[in-house]
Amino acid sequence: MAYVITQTCCNDASCVAVCPVNCIHPTPDEREFGSAEMLHIDPQTCIDCGACADACPVEAILPDDKLEPSQARFAEINADYYRAHPMPEGWNPLVPTPAAPRDRGTLRVAVVGAGPAACYATQELLERSDVEVEMFDRLPTPFGLVRAGVAPDHPGTKAVTESFEWSFRRDAFALHLDTEIGRDLTHAELLDHHHAVVYAVGASADRRLGIPGEDLEGSHAATEFVAWYNGHPDYANRTFDLSGERAVIVGNGNVAIDVARILAMDVEDLARTDIADHALEALRHSNIREIVLLGRRGPAQAAYSNPEFLALGELEGVDIVIDEADLELDEAGANAVASDPAVAMRVQLAREYAGSEVREGNRRIVFRYRAVPAEVLGTDRVDGVRVARTELVEDSEGALVARVTDDVDDIDAGLVLRSIGYRGVPVPDLPFDDRRAVVPSTGGRVDVGVYVTGWIKRGPSGVIGTNKACAKETVATLLADFDSGRLAPPRGDRRSLGKLLAERRPDRVDLDGWRAIDAAERAAGRASGRPRIKITERAALVELGRRRRRLPLIGAARR
């Protein structure tokens, strides 16, 4: 028997650190880690100790004899990885023993953001006993895209927040929600009260298509739709027209698949999740029967991960439709299939879907490869999409790019969602690389005392756990600067910061306030047989959090 990593793998490598036989790869030290869809256990090396399953924060690791029928394919996916990546010899520990810190007093760090990148950075910092962390976020709730981005039918993935909560319990940690840097406190004021500031603000904008009709009513960013159905307070009042029978999603990455799945799922299945109530009600009245995903490249180069693609086949009452003519491989695709088991699996799954039966009365998710939108059609609102075929050609540097051809056709649709990626936005008082949409850094250091981690550092890539390795690098750089004496001591301490916040943001939500919000949502969910019922109005969140905040409003008083 061996253990198997399944769909909900978060890639944070907690399992790697505890494996006594080094049978989980790729590790953060390996080149493949940054682009890996998931981690894999070698069945030939696994000794069935179960340490990885205990360490996994999202319950993605199971013994092979406990796999559900829908998970059985993951045993093959795990084993296939080692055909292309044979087990390395020897054992290299994931985390080297850190050098003993010099006695420079307590390191004070401000972390701006409360998503997974911020939480992983906080965990890394609080590994040391001489660190205090103040976390700030403009929303009244923490956890960023784990709360507002992970699909509601993926509760296992959201379980990673439980490990973050452990850090929140430390006396050396303080949480300041509904507090915006640049509005309530300035960058300079953060530096006045801390040795260092770590920005983990993610990528809050979305990329645009740049085609005619993109701004017609009925055309939206998929990021807005995701935030809406997940109950993000900034998007709770948005409306999406679900009266038509067909929706077109531009893009075929994991976010696009999430959106397609939510549109196609049985509403009664969604009613058992933490989807926002307003979205659940809208989906109950949806007329959408077909969702078309447009992918710029062929099936070998598709942007979705195999676990997400495979899981679509388990949807009740939904057919996955692929035209076999779209599965013909170009030279680049054939080479990728021959050399990479993950690509071979991706193409094999597409072929299986193409050969499956399309059943009368079922909803459909249709994948169109080598297809891009040339224009969103309509006068006052969306009524279709003009789609152009693409072909792979070499650019001037020899790289393969998808070139748009003159071969076009029109698709009737009442809803268009572009899912072509998130984009970072400038951070006040920090440099910004507009082309890459990141704050440029070296090892996470923007300047001495100013650091970045997560998507604002590396761009919107990877999955939740990818932020852990990213945070390790940034925090290692920060700690090296502190231990070497490079960081200027702050002029203010935790008490003076508390006084400043009491003046500027007296109604902010602190850790006790978040716990009250969390408890209220969970209690409402239990009454309905759901994990939680999210409060989606900002005013209601702030009022509940404010009422339950401890007084006085000074972090030091909690000690």
Side-chain angles (χ1 to χ4, degrees):
M1 188 175 76
Y3 277 77
V4 176
I5 298 178
T6 63
Q7 178 189 356
T8 55
C9 177
C10 72
N11 287 39
D12 87 344
S14 295
C15 54
V16 176
V18 300
C19 178
V21 292
N22 188 27
C23 74
I24 306 176
H25 294 270
T27 72
D29 296 328
E30 295 172 328
R31 179 175 54 85
E32 297 83 8
F33 181 79
S35 59
E37 296 180 346
M38 57 183 287
L39 305 185
H40 310 81
I41 295 174
D42 178 23
Q44 301 302 317
T45 308
C46 176
I47 59 173
D48 192 29
C49 68
C52 56
D54 293 338
C56 179
V58 294
E59 301 179 354
I61 305 178
L62 299 169
D64 57 12
D65 62 349
K66 300 293 185 182
L67 295 174
E68 298 291 335
S70 62
Q71 298 170 318
R73 198 73 174 262
F74 286 97
E76 179 184 349
I77 290 172
N78 278 245
D80 277 352
Y81 176 82
Y82 292 92
R83 291 199 291 111
H85 307 90
M87 276 287 295
E89 296 181 1
W91 163 246
N92 295 315
L94 176 64
V95 183
T97 303
R102 300 180 184 181
D103 185 13
R104 296 190 179 277
T106 298
L107 167 64
R108 285 187 45 75
V109 181
V111 176
V112 182
C119 290
Y120 278 124
T122 297
Q123 284 183 333
E124 289 296 314
L125 287 163
L126 293 177
E127 288 293 316
R128 289 182 34 152
S129 61
D130 60 343
V131 177
E132 289 181 346
V133 175
E134 310 275 343
M135 180 180 284
F136 302 84
D137 198 278
R138 69 177 190 86
L139 292 177
T141 56
F143 306 135
L145 284 180
V146 178
R147 177 179 171 94
V150 173
D153 61 329
H154 283 7
T157 305
K158 299 184 183 190
V160 70
T161 60
E162 295 176 10
S163 69
F164 299 153
E165 293 273 10
W166 279 98
S167 298
F168 287 8
R169 299 173 187 174
R170 301 277 296 274
D171 284 341
F173 174 81
L175 183 64
H176 310 283
L177 300 172
D178 196 38
T179 303
E180 186 170 343
I181 305 307
R183 181 194 66 187
D184 304 314
L185 293 176
T186 67
H187 173 71
E189 287 169 334
L190 286 182
L191 287 174
D192 277 345
H193 290 85
H194 303 87
H195 291 86
V197 181
V198 178
Y199 285 90
V201 294
S204 57
D206 61 272
R207 295 175 59 192
R208 291 181 59 81
L209 295 168
I211 61 174
E214 181 173 10
D215 294 318
L216 282 170
E217 184 180 347
S219 173
H220 310 269
T223 55
E224 297 175 1
F225 188 73
V226 169
W228 171 75
Y229 68 60
N230 273 315
H232 190 300
D234 290 351
Y235 297 89
N237 295 323
R238 298 291 176 91
T239 58
F240 297 87
D241 186 355
L242 309 180
S243 63
E245 293 192 355
R246 181 183 291 120
V248 172
I249 301 173
V250 181
N252 63 9
N254 285 347
V255 172
I257 282 186
D258 281 347
V259 171
R261 195 176 61 251
I262 295 301
L263 286 170
M265 280 181 67
D266 188 315
V267 176
E268 296 311 312
D269 290 335
L270 284 173
R272 293 189 286 271
T273 73
D274 68 354
I275 191 171
D277 279 353
H278 57 252
L280 185 63
E281 182 63 19
L283 289 165
R284 286 190 187 280
H285 298 92
S286 171
N287 291 327
I288 292 176
R289 305 293 300 172
E290 180 173 287
I291 303 100
V292 180
L293 291 88
L294 306 180
R296 175 174 287 271
R297 293 190 167 193
Q301 299 93 2
Y304 50 72
S305 67
N306 283 338
E308 293 296 328
F309 194 41
L310 177 61
L312 288 179
E314 299 301 319
L315 292 176
E316 290 290 335
V318 179
D319 292 327
I320 311 305
V321 180
I322 296 175
D323 188 336
E324 290 187 357
D326 277 351
L327 299 182
E328 182 179 348
L329 297 178
D330 51 36
E331 183 179 355
N335 290 338
V337 167
S339 61
D340 189 334
V343 176
M345 175 65 73
R346 187 173 303 136
V347 173
Q348 176 59 31
L349 290 173
R351 287 174 175 155
E352 291 176 11
Y353 286 137
S356 61
E357 178 186 1
V358 177
R359 293 155 290 187
E360 185 70 26
N362 276 4
R363 294 175 297 281
R364 298 181 180 184
I365 297 176
V366 180
F367 285 82
R368 287 192 58 173
Y369 301 102
R370 303 184 187 91
V372 296
E375 181 180 355
V376 179
L377 304 174
T379 304
D380 298 320
R381 58 159 295 104
V382 171
D383 60 30
V385 180
R386 180 156 294 154
V387 178
R389 297 283 295 178
T390 67
E391 61 182 5
L392 283 183
V393 297
E394 287 189 0
D395 64 12
S396 58
E397 298 179 355
L400 289 173
V401 296
R403 182 172 69 93
V404 179
T405 71
D406 295 329
D407 182 4
V408 299
D409 66 291
D410 294 346
I411 302 176
D412 293 336
L415 177 67
V416 174
L417 299 168
R418 63 179 185 273
S419 182
I420 56 174
Y422 291 81
R423 178 178 169 83
V425 299
V427 178
D429 301 314
L430 269 60
F432 190 71
D433 181 338
D434 190 64
R435 184 183 65 82
R436 297 177 56 220
V438 299
V439 173
S441 68
T442 302
R445 184 195 297 115
V446 180
D447 197 357
V448 175
V450 183
Y451 306 84
V452 287
T453 189
W455 282 2
I456 197 62
K457 169 187 171 184
R458 67 181 192 275
S461 62
V463 292
I464 290 171
T466 311
N467 292 295
K468 185 173 185 176
C470 184
K472 280 181 177 291
E473 179 187 54
T474 294
V475 171
T477 301
L478 187 161
L479 293 177
D481 287 348
F482 177 63
D483 291 336
S484 66
R486 298 180 70 189
L487 301 184
R491 288 181 286 182
D493 58 10
R494 174 168 274 190
R495 181 176 292 275
S496 66
L497 176 67
K499 290 180 178 178
L500 182 61
L501 284 167
E503 296 170 3
R504 300 278 183 82
R505 199 66 177 166
D507 289 340
R508 72 191 185 280
V509 176
D510 66 3
L511 181 57
D512 291 317
W514 158 241
R515 286 172 173 162
I517 293 168
D518 184 44
E521 291 184 339
R522 290 178 183 272
R526 282 194 296 273
S528 302
R530 299 169 63 185
R532 68 172 67 231
I533 294 179
K534 289 179 178 175
I535 301 168
T536 60
E537 294 295 330
R538 180 185 284 267
L541 288 164
V542 172
E543 175 61 20
L544 177 57
R546 182 185 64 81
R547 289 204 314 266
R548 296 297 299 271
R549 187 178 58 231
R550 289 186 190 174
L551 297 175
L553 300 176
I554 300 173
R558 298 176 59 229
R559 287 172 168 262

